[in-house]
Amino acid sequence: MKQLRRCVTPLCAAVLSAMTLNANAALYRVIELTVSEDGENNTYALDATSPNADEGVVVGVGTAITETSDGDLDGGDDETNLASDNLGEYDLNGDGDDEDLVDDLEDWMLRYMSDYQQTYVAMVNDSLMEWERVNVWDTINPEDGEYRGTTNDYFFGVNDKRVAVGYGSAPYYIFRYEDEDTHDETYSIIRDFASRGFVYEVGDDVDGERIELTPEEYEYGGLSGAYDISDSGIAAGYSSVRFVEGAHDNHDSCIYDENLPEIVCDYRVANGYYGDTYHIEAYLWQLDSNANVIQTRALGHPIELDDDVELQLVSQAFAANDNGYAVGSSDNYIDTENPSLYNLREYAAIYTQYSKNDIGILDITDRNMYPANTVSETVSRATDINNNNIVIGYAIRYINTSWRTKAWYYDISSNSPEMIELPSFFESSSMTAKSINDYDMVVGEFEWEPRPGGVTRRRHGYLYDMRSDNFVDLNDAIECTDQFDIVEANVIRNDGVILATATTQQSILDENGDPIFDSNGDEITTTVARAIALEPIDGGDYDSCSDADEAFPDNEREGASFGLWSLLLPVAWFVRRRYTLSR
């Protein structure tokens, strides 16, 4: 839950001072959160402290620029990425002897292999200055003194005490051993865990301490992650809590039937080589004033399994408020009247087990309105909750021969609570709801193009004020001259500041950092995603834009690129995903 107050100082002041003031040109000023000194292809802001915190902090994720080899790894090509299944095609030591491939393969080479390269980096932005990367569980490789570069790291939440949470993976490394059958030296590329939650106190030292959110069940590695943290120090996320029936047998078979080392079998079982390994539950960690874990709580599932059932159950908590409620999603029955373990889907869930009104897990999805489908395992999700006990989320509904995602809200405190859809731009417009503040203002993304059939529809970020029933396309709320196309809104704070993702054009540079031009002398550009902050203008109004696209007036902005935007948005919604390795 984003617990943020009126715009009084640091973060708002930073926004105000960073932009040229133009009182009535638009509803929002735009500030771009620039890339880090390491450079990222795309950046995404996913949470921020409130203006009444000591200093403003934004956390998020960036997509790493792919590292390429220097020629010694590829037998002569200038640049390449290696895949784990084609090592035999490359001369790893540059001497033309393919028989030495295994002997000469070293840990530092893994950062150039497409199967192990880092894709996502955790990023923190202090006072709306430049992003900085935070290496979560990566380690320094003694062979070259650099980070191994084979982890994926994510920040999702931060509270007003500058305590941030997320999760990251362990780095890959080469484990060498003797094959018990052939007695030849061989190797496996493994890591200690795929996902481990962490707590990080934002400070002057970007390499400051990370506090592990240890899974309840961590044999073979385990899984954990955190998506949100309240000012009272409650981190919400997921944890492996026990083994799926048969997981231990798979581990024993790996050791005794396949004759593999135990550490290799740990990795294989934990990473789904033989099927699902862990039951995953929505989970809470209570932190003290020093950000140390002092209490944990698994929030359970709505389904109870017999001990001999070989089936994985997954639930997750995406947010928690100050009143004792957490929200997320869980596996549940498609037909609650005739429950069957062979007919499960992911449904929105409200967890009340640590509230004074503990009544268990609330299943709030109308199966008739939102029936299970073959398009997605997810039927509905609850994505956020405010301190008014209003929950938001999305659900999939069948409209005009197609399955469409619809945003909704649910008022826990209502006498007759139910999922109520937010008004759509048009009936079949797909929408998601991602964040709600304590003034009942919701942000997310929606399809603004009424294109028919299977044609891809472009999306924009929106703001919906529940109290005034006012819906705003955020691209209509900024200056026409802004070179951004706002494609999703991720967070809204109590002062009205919105963190969003926008696409824009960026020059393609040569090795000297100079722009590249085509045969006509025009600068060559590419579309990138950038994290932006939108700060409300006091007394602002809509800018009067000329229509750039007669077919879809008032929506096409400079910087938009049809089709490409969807390739740039794997993070802000994929990250809060159903965590399972083999489904």
Side-chain angles (χ1 to χ4, degrees), residues 97-319:
D97 188 354
D98 286 345
E99 293 182 1
D100 292 336
L101 286 176
V102 174
D103 290 338
D104 293 318
L105 185 62
E106 299 179 3
D107 282 357
W108 65 269
M109 298 176 182
L110 299 181
R111 71 170 66 102
Y112 299 107
M113 298 183 184
S114 57
D115 284 5
Y116 309 107
Q117 280 183 320
Q118 184 173 54
T119 303
Y120 300 106
V121 292
M123 303 178 70
V124 60
N125 191 308
D126 203 342
S127 300
L128 290 187
M129 304 301 288
E130 186 177 79
W131 286 106
E132 288 187 284
R133 291 190 185 184
V134 174
N135 289 293
V136 180
W137 304 124
D138 204 358
T139 58
I140 299 293
N141 188 339
E143 297 166 356
D144 59 9
E146 297 181 6
Y147 280 106
R148 295 175 183 272
T150 57
T151 63
N152 284 307
D153 303 327
Y154 313 87
F155 271 127
F156 294 111
V158 62
N159 66 13
D160 278 358
K161 298 178 181 178
R162 297 167 61 90
V163 178
V165 295
Y167 65 79
S169 61
Y172 284 98
Y173 60 94
I174 298 166
F175 178 75
R176 300 183 184 277
Y177 59 95
E178 181 180 292
D179 187 293
E180 292 194 7
D181 296 326
T182 65
H183 300 290
D184 293 331
E185 183 184 20
T186 187
Y187 71 96
S188 290
I189 299 173
I190 62 176
R191 61 183 176 185
D192 294 335
F193 51 81
S195 170
R196 180 74 82 249
F198 70 96
V199 176
Y200 174 84
E201 294 189 79
V202 180
D204 296 332
D205 182 8
V206 74
D207 292 321
E209 182 183 7
R210 296 99 171 101
I211 298 173
E212 178 178 308
L213 297 177
T214 305
E216 185 169 314
E217 176 55 72
Y218 54 85
E219 188 178 2
Y220 311 153
L223 300 168
S224 66
Y227 295 120
D228 187 38
I229 183 168
S230 69
D231 285 343
S232 58
I234 297 175
Y238 63 88
S239 171
S240 51
V241 294
R242 62 185 182 280
F243 286 102
V244 172
E245 180 68 18
H248 286 303
D249 293 339
N250 292 332
H251 188 262
D252 291 344
S253 177
C254 176
I255 294 175
Y256 301 113
D257 296 340
E258 299 184 51
N259 293 323
L260 293 174
E262 183 173 1
I263 191 172
V264 174
C265 293
D266 289 352
Y267 169 78
R268 289 194 169 196
V269 171
N271 286 269
Y273 273 58
Y274 310 108
D276 296 321
T277 303
Y278 304 105
H279 290 292
I280 310 297
E281 285 192 14
Y283 212 79
L284 301 178
W285 292 266
Q286 176 66 64
L287 311 179
D288 64 15
S289 58
N290 295 317
N292 295 309
V293 177
I294 57 175
Q295 187 177 5
T296 62
R297 183 186 295 268
L299 299 181
H301 296 100
I303 299 171
E304 293 186 9
L305 297 178
D306 293 334
D307 293 338
D308 59 346
V309 175
E310 293 187 21
L311 175 71
Q312 181 193 47
L313 293 178
V314 177
S315 65
Q316 297 184 99
F318 296 140

Side-chain angles (χ1 to χ4, degrees), residues 267-522:
Y267 169 78
R268 289 194 169 196
V269 171
N271 286 269
Y273 273 58
Y274 310 108
D276 296 321
T277 303
Y278 304 105
H279 290 292
I280 310 297
E281 285 192 14
Y283 212 79
L284 301 178
W285 292 266
Q286 176 66 64
L287 311 179
D288 64 15
S289 58
N290 295 317
N292 295 309
V293 177
I294 57 175
Q295 187 177 5
T296 62
R297 183 186 295 268
L299 299 181
H301 296 100
I303 299 171
E304 293 186 9
L305 297 178
D306 293 334
D307 293 338
D308 59 346
V309 175
E310 293 187 21
L311 175 71
Q312 181 193 47
L313 293 178
V314 177
S315 65
Q316 297 184 99
F318 296 140
N321 72 1
D322 291 335
N323 302 325
Y325 293 102
V327 299
S329 66
S330 178
D331 285 331
N332 210 334
Y333 297 114
I334 290 176
D335 185 348
T336 55
E337 298 297 323
N338 299 287
S340 170
L341 294 176
Y342 297 100
N343 291 291
L344 303 180
R345 290 290 191 276
E346 179 186 8
Y347 289 92
I350 299 175
Y351 304 96
T352 69
Q353 290 145 308
Y354 78 111
S355 75
K356 61 183 179 181
N357 301 315
D358 182 8
I359 54 175
I361 301 174
L362 298 181
D363 177 10
I364 62 175
T365 305
D366 184 336
R367 272 36 173 199
N368 294 320
M369 177 71 76
Y370 306 103
N373 61 80
T374 58
V375 175
S376 172
E377 289 190 1
T378 300
V379 175
S380 61
R381 277 184 177 179
T383 56
D384 199 10
I385 182 172
N386 66 10
N387 281 325
N388 303 321
N389 295 336
I390 296 178
V391 183
I392 61 168
Y394 65 87
I396 299 176
R397 184 157 65 87
Y398 197 65
I399 305 173
N400 295 342
T401 72
S402 297
W403 292 100
R404 302 293 185 188
T405 301
K406 307 301 290 185
W408 53 262
Y409 72 89
Y410 181 97
D411 187 352
I412 297 175
S413 302
S414 170
N415 292 329
S416 301
E418 62 177 329
M419 289 172 62
I420 299 175
E421 286 189 4
L422 273 60
S424 300
F425 196 60
F426 52 91
E427 173 62 15
S428 65
S429 170
S430 286
M431 295 178 59
T432 63
K434 299 183 179 180
S435 175
I436 182 171
N437 68 10
D438 287 338
Y439 294 97
D440 303 338
M441 304 174 78
V442 181
V443 296
E445 65 185 33
F446 75 105
E447 293 176 341
W448 59 268
E449 290 183 308
R451 294 180 182 266
V455 178
T456 300
R457 296 171 172 177
R458 284 174 284 189
R459 299 194 177 209
H460 279 170
Y462 73 84
L463 165 67
Y464 175 65
D465 186 341
M466 291 175 56
R467 299 183 183 182
S468 65
D469 196 29
N470 188 31
F471 183 94
V472 178
D473 181 332
L474 291 174
N475 286 281
D476 294 336
I478 62 176
E479 290 188 11
C480 302
T481 55
D482 282 320
Q483 301 293 307
F484 294 100
D485 190 50
I486 302 171
V487 293
E488 62 179 0
N490 300 319
V491 176
I492 182 165
R493 312 178 335 174
N494 277 355
D495 62 348
V497 171
I498 297 170
L499 298 178
T501 304
T503 58
T504 188
Q505 295 298 305
Q506 177 175 283
S507 299
I508 296 178
L509 308 179
D510 61 20
E511 62 274 8
N512 297 317
D514 298 321
I516 299 175
F517 298 88
D518 62 21
S519 58
N520 296 322
D522 297 322

Side-chain angles (χ1 to χ4, degrees), residues 532-553:
I532 62 172
L534 302 175
E535 194 271 337
I537 298 173
D538 189 16
D541 200 354
Y542 288 101
D543 202 351
S544 178
C545 303
S546 60
D547 295 341
D549 187 335
E550 293 300 324
F552 303 100

Side-chain angles (χ1 to χ4, degrees), residues 21-37:
L21 301 184
N22 187 352
N24 295 304
L27 295 175
Y28 289 91
R29 295 182 182 87
V30 179
I31 182 170
E32 178 183 357
L33 308 184
T34 59
V35 299
S36 75
E37 62 180 13

